Amino acid sequence: ERLWENKEVIQVEASKPSGSYPRLARGLQDLNEIKNTADASTIASTVLETMQQGMGFKRVALFLRNGNTKKLGARMAFGPGTREAMSALQFNEAFGPDVFHLTLAQNQPVIVDNCHAPGWQSKLPAWFKTALPSTRSFLCIPLVKNGVPVAMLYGDWDVELTGTPVESHELAQLTQMGRVLREALTRRTR
C-alpha cells in the first residue's frame, strides 16, 4: 500500500503502530530488491513510505544537501502540512548549536521523545518550531559519506511517546534504509 497516490498525500494516524518491525523488514527487503536498478527518487520515496507506515510517523521528510547554497532542505516529504512547510524546512550547513547540526556532526541518529520539554527548547532551531509547531517527538537519521552530509531522514509524531519510542532493532533497520538511500544519492552524483 503506497502513501503517495496521484501526488496526493494520504492521511495516516500518527502514533507508533504495533508490529513495526515486520513492516520495516518488508520495506528493507523491497529496497534491497530495487537498490541496483531504481533511481534515487524511487528509493527515497520507498524509504519515506516505509518509515511512515512502519513507525507511524505523522510526517516524514528527506533533507538533501545543496552544495551550491550550503543548505540542507526538505526535497521530499509526506504527511499533513508538509507541502506548505517544505520551503521553511531548510537550514544552513554551517554548524549551529541545535539538534539537527548535532545529528550531522556526530553522524548518529537522534531521537527526541518530547521536544516541548524545557531541556530541548534551546536545542530546536526557530525554523523547526515555526514550520512544525505540533511536533512532540521526532527522529533524525543522518546520511553522511566521507565526513560530508549528503542528506538527513526525518520522521515525527504529534504525540509524546512513552517508553522507548524507537527500539534498537527498528533503528538498525531504519539506519540500513538510510545507507541504501545514501548510496543511491551519491551514485547519482558520480
Side-chain angles (χ1 to χ4, degrees):
E1 174 180 301
R2 295 180 59 86
L3 296 174
W4 187 265
E5 293 179 2
N6 300 324
K7 305 222 184 245
E8 292 299 318
V9 177
I10 296 172
Q11 299 288 332
V12 203
E13 185 154 336
S15 64
K16 187 176 166 188
S18 60
S20 60
Y21 184 79
R23 292 175 191 196
L24 294 174
R26 279 192 305 274
L28 186 54
Q29 181 180 351
D30 290 346
L31 278 172
N32 284 326
E33 289 173 5
I34 67 168
K35 70 182 181 183
N36 295 321
T37 56
D39 62 21
S41 179
T42 300
I43 290 173
S45 66
T46 302
V47 168
L48 292 178
E49 290 171 6
T50 300
M51 286 175 61
Q52 194 168 37
Q53 289 177 352
M55 298 301 293
F57 289 119
K58 183 165 188 175
R59 291 171 291 266
V60 292
L62 171 64
F63 286 76
L64 286 178
R65 178 180 181 268
N66 181 322
N68 295 327
T69 64
K70 303 292 187 208
K71 290 185 177 188
L72 276 91
R75 294 296 173 259
M76 183 181 291
F78 301 142
T82 54
R83 186 169 292 142
E84 297 79 15
M86 287 277 281
S87 64
L89 297 176
Q90 61 177 318
F91 58 96
N92 287 321
E93 185 179 335
F95 187 81
D98 64 56
V99 67
F100 298 99
H101 286 99
L102 181 67
T103 299
L104 294 169
Q106 293 187 345
N107 194 18
Q108 292 293 319
V110 171
I111 302 164
V112 176
D113 57 356
N114 180 2
C115 64
H116 294 277
W120 280 110
Q121 283 300 300
S122 65
K123 296 172 180 81
L124 299 173
W127 64 263
F128 175 80
K129 294 176 187 177
T130 301
L132 302 170
S134 64
T135 298
R136 297 289 298 200
S137 304
F138 65 89
L139 165 71
C140 294
I141 299 174
L143 309 182
V144 176
K145 186 159 188 167
N146 299 326
V148 177
V150 175
M152 181 179 69
L153 292 169
Y154 168 88
D156 71 32
W157 297 277
D158 282 355
V159 295
E160 182 180 343
L161 300 177
T162 56
T164 305
V166 181
E167 301 288 339
S168 60
H169 61 276
E170 296 165 337
L171 186 57
Q173 289 179 312
L174 292 165
T175 302
Q176 182 58 36
M177 287 181 213
R179 285 187 196 113
V180 171
L181 177 55
R182 181 193 65 205
E183 292 308 311
L185 292 168
T186 56
R187 182 177 63 231
R188 167 188 80 153
T189 59
R190 285 186 207 153

